[in-house]
Amino acid sequence: MTFFSFKKFILETLFPIHCISCNKYGDWLCQDCLNKISLKKHQVCPICEQKQTPNGIVCFDCKSKYTIDGLLVASFYRRNKKKTILAELIHYYKYRFINELSNPLGEILVKAFLHSDLILPDLIIPIPLHPRRLRWRNFNQSKLLAEYLSKKITPNFEITVTEDIIIRKKYTHPQAKIKDRRRRINNLQGIFAINSNTKVAELLENKTILLVDDIATTGSTLFECAKTLKQYKVKEVYAIVLARQ
Ligand SMILES: [Zn+2]
Ligand SMILES: [Zn+2]
């Protein structure tokens, strides 16, 4: 037993883990409660959020305005004006630092992806965190989800997950704290850059890319990221998130 697994063992003995939803002993989210999280049946264009489109691809009218090709939203943040259990799980994951929740949350992304007709991506890119935020949380929540997804959406091989291509240049305040939509969008302009590694162009050329993030608010983080990638000759950029706030 390593020091860390020993520490974990002690912590779990002192503070036994219970399901966040039903309080059953054993896991942060039990299998029954995980199965109850329903997937979105209909997807809409991520830009206008009006038109229903297959797999959340960008509708014809919005196509010329934005660079992203689509956004698949797995489930719900709110239902009937109440926060869902998924919203609560995301909160535990990100702000109580329960990184083990990346497995059940990743499972929700896997189910949503497999339910869709999106083609398998060539590359999966988690939305990067600013180093300052990474130090604070100690893990990149999107990276853990991306890794889970890459292991589970194909039976025989893992799709490459790469964190090295895009870097986050600017530290920004959490989107959830900025109420005004326009300020949120301005807040994000030019926050990403491509890592000036010479192989990047080669790595991205003609590739279908899937961006992974836990949650989308205005979507601007994902749109900015797609815009940055499309400076290269990528084929298509899609994104997948657990929910849209
Ligand atoms: Zn439960
Ligand atoms: Zn649209």
Side-chain angles (χ1 to χ4, degrees):
M1 194 183 265
T2 65
F3 172 72
F4 284 105
S5 61
F6 180 67
K7 191 176 154 196
K8 204 168 172 234
F9 168 76
I10 295 290
L11 279 172
E12 282 170 13
T13 311
L14 293 174
F15 308 102
I17 293 168
H18 291 89
C19 171
I20 290 167
S21 181
C22 73
N23 213 28
K24 188 163 89 189
Y25 170 75
D27 286 305
W28 289 103
L29 185 72
C30 74
Q31 194 61 43
D32 290 343
C33 292
L34 174 61
N35 292 342
K36 277 187 213 152
I37 294 177
S38 50
L39 298 180
K40 268 183 84 136
K41 288 208 176 66
H42 304 288
Q43 300 284 332
V44 293
C45 162
I47 313 294
C48 60
E49 296 183 71
Q50 302 291 327
K51 287 195 194 94
Q52 256 186 41
T53 60
N55 311 311
I57 58 167
V58 174
C59 77
F60 185 78
D61 293 333
C62 297
K63 193 86 196 155
S64 59
K65 289 179 258 171
Y66 283 85
T67 43
I68 199 159
D69 295 284
L71 168 64
L72 189 75
V73 180
S75 185
F76 303 92
Y77 192 81
R78 272 173 215 281
R79 276 196 121 171
N80 306 319
K81 295 189 177 163
K82 271 176 62 191
K83 278 193 182 172
T84 57
I85 187 68
L86 176 61
E88 201 169 335
L89 291 167
I90 294 170
H91 182 85
Y92 270 77
Y93 183 43
K94 287 171 77 178
Y95 301 104
R96 296 204 187 178
F97 317 118
I98 313 290
N99 60 354
E100 291 101 325
L101 278 170
S102 60
N103 291 348
L105 292 174
E107 196 56 41
I108 297 167
L109 290 182
V110 170
K111 281 189 204 167
F113 186 89
L114 296 178
H115 262 84
S116 77
D117 317 304
L118 281 179
I119 57 159
L120 285 176
D122 301 303
L123 272 182
I124 299 181
I125 300 184
I127 297 295
L129 287 182
H130 190 273
R132 193 168 134 194
R133 186 150 290 268
L134 184 61
R135 278 198 300 278
W136 173 75
R137 183 169 291 132
N138 211 18
F139 63 94
N140 175 352
Q141 73 276 12
S142 306
K143 184 190 166 200
L144 300 187
L145 295 174
E147 286 172 342
Y148 190 94
L149 194 67
S150 103
K151 283 193 196 106
K152 301 289 172 109
I153 55 175
T154 48
N156 300 321
F157 68 101
E158 288 181 27
I159 296 169
T160 308
V161 176
T162 172
E163 292 193 275
D164 305 330
I165 293 181
I166 289 204
I167 47 178
R168 200 162 184 136
K169 293 190 297 188
K170 265 183 4 193
Y171 182 81
T172 49
H173 291 284
Q175 289 290 289
K177 285 194 182 151
I178 303 172
K179 292 278 183 270
D180 170 4
R181 189 184 163 95
R182 184 166 300 161
R183 270 189 56 212
R184 272 187 190 166
I185 293 168
N186 288 340
N187 189 35
L188 292 175
Q189 251 154 38
I191 62 162
F192 295 112
I194 296 279
N195 197 345
S196 53
N197 172 337
T198 46
K199 283 191 186 143
V200 167
E202 199 180 301
L203 225 86
L204 292 177
E205 189 168 347
N206 212 21
K207 296 284 165 53
T208 298
I209 294 167
L210 184 67
L211 299 174
V212 176
D213 209 353
D214 52 318
I215 211 159
T217 310
T218 57
S220 1
T221 309
L222 297 163
F223 305 159
E224 270 299 310
C225 211
K227 192 164 107 189
T228 310
L229 286 167
K230 288 230 171 156
Q231 293 163 3
Y232 288 79
K233 289 180 188 147
V234 294
K235 192 171 170 195
E236 283 169 323
V237 182
Y238 295 96
I240 186 167
V241 294
L242 289 162
R244 192 151 183 183
Q245 214 167 355

